[in-house]
């Protein structure tokens, strides 16, 4: 367990805020560590310091000679017109077969390797960056919020990658499910200090709660003892016979001190406005089509959302989740069909990136005052601001100096000052710390109104959603199971596809590599069998037959996916999910066979 990166007695200050105050930590090359802390605690700053992108005020970063540091780049490292394969080869200086082999680990299909990287969605570009990261053979990875805006499928691939990664990792994430699945240790940054706990994030938070409760009990006992001593001293210090005892008790009293409660920091505590529970249909769509002038995203959308439901919108990136939300919010007009909100529905909206468009020169108080419903007094505004940690002088902070997490909190605070019985939330947990995400989930579960939301945070989605709508393959429909059922289906599809595809590519890549290693460039491998005309015709027939089977199974897969959106019976849904996973595995095996035949044909 050699240590490859250390932080020693580190100090870092921004204005009045002490981010690092004598902080120390050591990162070995075999531990998977989740870094947690409140918004504004300095987690991203710490990552930049460790990467060498920012300097300490005092202290030292010690890098081992054996350190091979890798990090997931947030910026765009691609050249204009550069294909996926071109980028991987340029970035890693590895041959095409090796780049292709690693690309398969992230389910980058062969056809995509030859597409321009910038033409891909953000989720696919992240997969390309991860493949490039692995090609550099790092022994320590630093990842700052790697799951933001990643769909479930890409998150699962990232988890598989990190679990199988042989080196160490330091990952910052607000997603408890992701941290628990990938990290065995937890590093907390609090009040400028770093503390490493040998357990996952759930164990760490449970341990913190237990220690806090223990410290509170100790303090309660100390306060009781203090009152007893103070009473005895007051009664006996004037009495000559007991004055010496009183002096002795006074010395005992001086030694009594309260312990600082472990990790006790200001926490977000809030509830959405109490609204009268309603019954019946909140939203109904009739054969609605959604999309943009140049393209359709989904059609024949038939939905009914009841008052009081908490609806989680799921689906892969690029399938239309945000388009659907924008349509029901009125930002986009339906391309066909109709939708209708129930009588008296008052909607509050939290949109992706909304905190980047806030008025920069407004103070927190200015913004909240503008958002507040008519008749809200200043004390109510200050109470809500305080519940979101904007207390005292912080309410006068300019929006332009707020962090991403603080801006997200501010927008949520604004929603609380309005009166809504329907909330539409697009990725509300992004840029919030673990504790604030928990507080938000608690508040939404208590909220008697209707909630329609998207989130890539599985822990948050599982806690909040009691109804699921899936967006995909040009359809938007109620999912016939719970969110756990949906995760199970995606996992099985991914598992079956990865297993077969990885074996297929390994076989194909190994054969290609062997051929390249044994023959001069441009010549066939010496071991390749020379085919007769009859053998070549037979292989071509087999190749066409396999292609027909793949096309047929691909159609079946699409039909199964479409039918899954209309099934309401749980057992039938499970049967179709298993059939879908089996079909995906069969397609992958046929693609393996296609690769082998193509290789034999040369």
């Amino acid at each position: 367990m050699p240590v490859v990166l250390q932080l020693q007695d580190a100090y870092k200050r921004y204005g009045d805020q002490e981010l690092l105050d004598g902080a120390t930590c050591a990162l070995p090359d075999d531990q998977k560590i989740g870094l947690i802390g409140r918004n504004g605690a300095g987690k991203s700053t710490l990552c930049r310091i460790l990467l060498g992108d920012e300097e300490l005020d005092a202290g030292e970063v010690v890098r081992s000679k054996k350190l091979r540091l890798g990090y997931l780049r947030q910026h765009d490292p691609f050249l204009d017109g550069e294909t996926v394969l071109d980028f991987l080869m340029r970035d890693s200086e590895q041959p095409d077969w090796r780049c292709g082999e690693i690309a398969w680990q992230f389910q980058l299909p062969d056809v995509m390797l030859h597409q321009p990287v910038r033409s891909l969605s953000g989720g696919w570009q992240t997969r390309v960056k991860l493949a490039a990261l692995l090609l550099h053979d790092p022994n320590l990875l630093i990842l700052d919020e790697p799951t933001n805006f990643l769909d479930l499928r890409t998150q699962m691939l990232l988890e598989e990658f990190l679990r199988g990664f042989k080196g160490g990792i330091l990952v910052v994430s607000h997603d408890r499910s992701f941290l628990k699945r990938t990290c065995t240790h937890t590093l907390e940054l609090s009040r400028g200090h770093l503390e490493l706990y040998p357990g996952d994030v759930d164990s760490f938070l449970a341990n913190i709660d237990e220690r806090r409760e223990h410290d509170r009990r100790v303090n309660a006992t100390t306060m009781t003892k203090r009152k007893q001593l103070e009473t005895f001293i007051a009664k006996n210090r004037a009495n000559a016979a007991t004055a010496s005892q009183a002096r002795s008790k006074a010395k005992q009293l001086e030694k009594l001190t309260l312990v600082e409660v472990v990790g006790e920091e200001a926490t977000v505590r809030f509830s959405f406005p109490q609204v009268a529970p309603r019954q019946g249909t909140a939203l109904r769509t009739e054969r609605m089509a959604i999309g943009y002038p140049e393209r359709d995203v989904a059609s024949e959308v038939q939905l009914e959302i009841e008052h009081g439901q908490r609806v989680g919108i799921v689906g892969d990136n690029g399938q239309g989740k945000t388009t659907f939300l924008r349509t029901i919010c009125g930002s986009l007009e339906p391309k066909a069909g109709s939708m209708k909100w129930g009588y008296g529905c008052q909607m509050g909206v939290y949109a992706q990136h909304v905190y980047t468009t806030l008025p920069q020169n407004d103070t927190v108080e200015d913004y909240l005052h503008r958002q507040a419903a008519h008749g809200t007094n200043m004390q109510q505004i200050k109470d809500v601001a305080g519940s979101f940690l904007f207390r005292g002088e912080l309410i006068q902070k300019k929006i332009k100096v707020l962090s991403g997490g603080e801006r997200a909190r501010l927008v949520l605070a604004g929603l609380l000052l309005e009166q809504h019985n329907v909330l539409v939330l697009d990725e509300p947990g992004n840029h919030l710390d673990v504790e604030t995400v928990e507080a938000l989930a608690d508040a939404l579960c208590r909220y008697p109104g209707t909630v329609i939301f998207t989130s890539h945070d599985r822990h948050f989605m599982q806690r909040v959603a009691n109804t699921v709508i899936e967006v995909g393959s040009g359809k938007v429909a109620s999912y016939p199971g719970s969110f756990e059922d949906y995760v199970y289906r995606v996992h099985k599809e991914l598992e079956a596809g990865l297993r077969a595809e990885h074996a297929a590519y390994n076989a194909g890549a190994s054969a290609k590599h062997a051929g390249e290693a044994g023959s001069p460039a441009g010549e066939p491998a010496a071991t390749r069998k020379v085919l007769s005309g009859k053998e070549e015709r037979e292989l071509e027939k087999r190749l066409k037959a396999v292609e027909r089977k793949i096309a047929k199974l691909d159609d079946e897969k699409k039909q199964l996916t479409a039918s899954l959106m209309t099934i309401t019976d749980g057992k039938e849904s499970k049967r179709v999910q298993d059939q879908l996973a089996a079909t995906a595995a069969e397609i992958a095996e046929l693609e393996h066979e296609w690769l082998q035949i193509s290789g034999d044909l040369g």
Side-chain angles (χ1 to χ4, degrees):
M1 188 176 75
V3 172
V4 290
L5 186 61
Q6 293 184 71
L7 190 69
Q8 295 182 349
D9 200 23
Y11 291 84
K12 183 69 176 180
R13 176 187 289 273
Y14 281 136
D16 295 333
Q17 189 175 9
E18 194 86 56
L19 297 181
L20 299 175
D21 183 16
T24 297
C25 70
L27 303 179
D29 67 355
D30 64 347
Q31 281 185 0
K32 294 178 169 58
I33 300 170
L35 175 61
I36 66 172
R38 304 306 304 270
N39 281 135
K43 301 185 296 296
S44 294
T45 300
L46 175 61
C47 290
R48 290 195 297 271
I49 288 169
L50 294 174
L51 289 168
D53 294 338
E54 196 157 331
E55 296 293 326
L56 288 168
D57 296 336
E60 188 179 8
V61 178
V62 181
R63 296 176 174 85
S64 164
K65 291 182 180 179
K66 295 182 179 179
L67 174 66
R68 299 188 304 278
L69 189 60
Y71 66 99
L72 185 61
R73 288 168 286 197
Q74 300 299 324
H75 67 279
D76 177 353
F78 315 119
L79 302 178
D80 288 337
E82 189 172 44
T83 67
V84 171
L85 188 59
D86 289 341
F87 165 71
L88 293 177
M89 292 174 65
R90 173 179 65 81
D91 187 75
S92 67
E93 300 181 350
Q94 297 280 345
D96 59 352
W97 68 268
R98 176 61 179 160
C99 293
E101 183 181 40
I102 297 300
W104 270 108
Q105 292 190 25
F106 297 98
Q107 284 201 328
L108 291 162
D110 186 60
V111 66
M112 189 175 285
L113 295 180
H114 304 286
Q115 290 181 338
V117 195
R118 286 180 175 167
S119 70
L120 306 180
S121 69
W124 284 109
Q125 287 188 16
T126 298
R127 296 191 194 191
V128 174
K129 290 177 186 178
L130 288 168
L133 188 64
L134 193 58
L135 282 162
H136 284 279
D137 190 30
N139 59 3
L140 179 66
L141 299 180
I142 294 180
L143 309 175
D144 189 3
E145 296 290 2
T147 63
N148 273 1
F149 308 112
L150 293 188
D151 58 36
L152 179 62
R153 211 173 294 270
T154 308
Q155 282 189 39
M156 287 180 171
L157 286 169
L158 178 56
E159 286 174 5
E160 286 295 321
F161 163 58
L162 292 177
R163 280 201 295 265
F165 182 64
K166 301 301 183 185
I169 65 170
L170 179 70
V171 56
V172 179
S173 179
H174 62 272
D175 186 335
R176 282 177 62 172
S177 292
F178 180 79
L179 287 174
K180 187 173 181 180
R181 286 176 169 84
T182 56
C183 298
T184 57
H185 292 65
T186 303
L187 183 66
E188 185 190 35
L189 176 56
S190 175
R191 295 172 175 150
H193 297 282
L194 288 164
E195 180 180 1
L196 183 65
Y197 176 81
D200 65 30
V201 63
D202 284 353
S203 300
F204 171 79
L205 293 174
N207 178 264
I208 284 289
D209 288 340
E210 290 171 6
R211 289 169 63 188
R212 283 177 183 166
E213 186 56 36
H214 173 267
D215 291 344
R216 291 188 187 109
R217 287 198 299 267
V218 169
N219 282 344
T221 302
T222 301
M223 290 301 295
T224 300
K225 182 68 172 175
R226 177 178 286 178
K227 288 179 181 178
Q228 290 172 349
L229 291 172
E230 287 171 346
T231 301
F232 182 89
I233 293 166
K235 286 182 178 180
N236 295 283
R237 63 185 171 188
N239 189 328
T242 57
S244 61
Q245 287 181 290
R247 287 193 295 273
S248 175
K249 297 295 185 185
K251 290 179 181 179
Q252 291 181 35
L253 182 61
E254 289 175 5
K255 293 177 181 179
L256 286 180
T257 56
L258 296 177
V259 298
E260 182 178 351
V261 178
V262 174
E264 189 162 69
E265 297 186 69
T267 56
V268 176
R269 301 182 188 278
F270 62 91
S271 292
F272 287 98
Q274 285 300 307
V275 295
R278 301 171 67 89
Q279 294 184 339
T281 302
L283 174 66
R284 178 183 288 115
T285 68
E286 293 284 348
R287 307 191 69 178
M288 184 174 73
I290 62 174
Y292 304 89
E294 68 279 5
R295 67 185 179 94
D296 290 345
V297 172
S299 60
E300 298 294 323
V301 180
Q302 297 277 137
L303 289 173
E304 283 196 8
I305 295 175
E306 300 297 311
H307 282 293
Q309 286 186 323
R310 299 191 299 273
V311 184
I313 312 297
V314 301
D316 289 349
N317 280 354
Q319 293 296 306
K321 297 190 298 294
T322 297
T323 304
F324 173 67
L325 290 188
R326 290 185 64 195
T327 304
I328 65 174
C329 289
S331 298
L332 288 174
E333 288 291 325
K335 297 194 70 174
S338 64
M339 70 168 193
K340 184 177 181 181
W341 284 99
Y343 175 76
C345 285
Q346 297 172 301
M347 191 189 317
V349 179
Y350 180 102
Q352 278 189 42
H353 313 302
V354 68
Y355 40 81
T356 64
T357 60
L358 296 174
Q360 297 295 296
N361 290 317
D362 275 10
T363 65
V364 169
E365 184 179 343
D366 292 337
Y367 175 80
L368 294 180
H369 192 271
R370 187 181 298 111
Q371 295 297 114
H374 181 71
T376 307
N377 61 47
M378 186 52 67
Q379 188 55 52
Q380 289 172 312
I381 291 174
K382 288 184 176 180
D383 288 345
V384 169
S387 71
F388 279 86
L389 308 185
F390 297 111
R391 297 176 181 140
E393 294 180 357
L394 294 180
I395 199 171
Q396 298 302 327
K397 283 181 78 171
K398 295 273 191 181
I399 288 174
K400 63 185 177 184
V401 301
L402 299 180
S403 68
E406 288 171 325
R407 293 183 186 211
R409 288 207 312 267
L410 179 60
V411 175
L412 288 172
L415 283 179
L416 264 65
L417 288 166
E418 305 169 24
Q419 286 294 319
H420 308 295
N421 53 23
V422 177
L423 295 174
V424 179
L425 313 173
D426 192 6
E427 296 292 345
N430 276 357
H431 300 292
L432 297 179
D433 55 46
V434 170
E435 291 85 357
T436 307
V437 169
E438 282 295 299
L440 176 60
D442 288 338
L444 290 173
C445 288
R446 295 192 305 269
Y447 177 61
T450 306
V451 184
I452 304 170
F453 72 102
T454 64
S455 178
H456 290 126
D457 186 326
R458 268 173 284 173
H459 177 77
F460 180 80
M461 180 71 79
Q462 186 172 331
R463 282 207 56 199
V464 177
N466 57 20
T467 304
V468 177
I469 288 176
E470 184 176 19
V471 181
S473 302
K475 301 294 181 185
V476 180
S478 295
Y479 188 74
S482 65
F483 179 68
E484 291 89 341
D485 296 329
Y486 174 73
V487 171
Y488 173 82
R489 189 196 89 192
V490 173
H491 178 72
K492 286 297 181 185
E493 287 178 9
L494 200 59
E495 192 177 58
L498 262 181
R499 188 167 54 246
E501 288 173 349
H502 188 55
Y505 196 85
N506 274 347
S510 297
K512 181 177 180 182
H513 181 48
E516 288 176 349
S519 305
E523 294 183 13
T527 56
R528 179 177 293 158
K529 179 183 176 183
V530 178
L531 300 174
S532 67
K534 182 178 179 181
E535 288 173 327
E536 189 168 336
R537 286 192 296 274
E538 285 295 322
L539 282 176
E540 287 173 348
K541 280 179 64 177
R542 279 180 59 197
L543 189 68
K544 289 179 180 178
V546 169
E547 287 173 347
R548 286 194 295 271
K549 286 181 183 178
I550 290 173
K552 182 180 177 183
L553 286 170
D554 196 47
D555 288 339
E556 288 180 14
K557 184 180 176 183
K558 290 178 182 176
Q559 290 171 7
L560 287 168
T561 302
S563 69
L564 195 60
M565 291 186 170
T566 62
I567 297 171
T568 57
D569 179 70
K571 289 184 179 178
E572 178 64 10
S573 171
K574 175 71 165 53
R575 185 191 69 77
V576 174
Q577 288 173 17
D578 290 342
Q579 189 176 347
L580 193 60
T583 303
E586 190 174 352
I587 290 172
E589 289 174 5
L590 285 168
E591 287 174 343
H592 180 196
E593 186 178 350
W594 187 93
L595 274 173
Q596 288 181 320
I597 297 171
S598 297
D600 290 342
L601 281 169

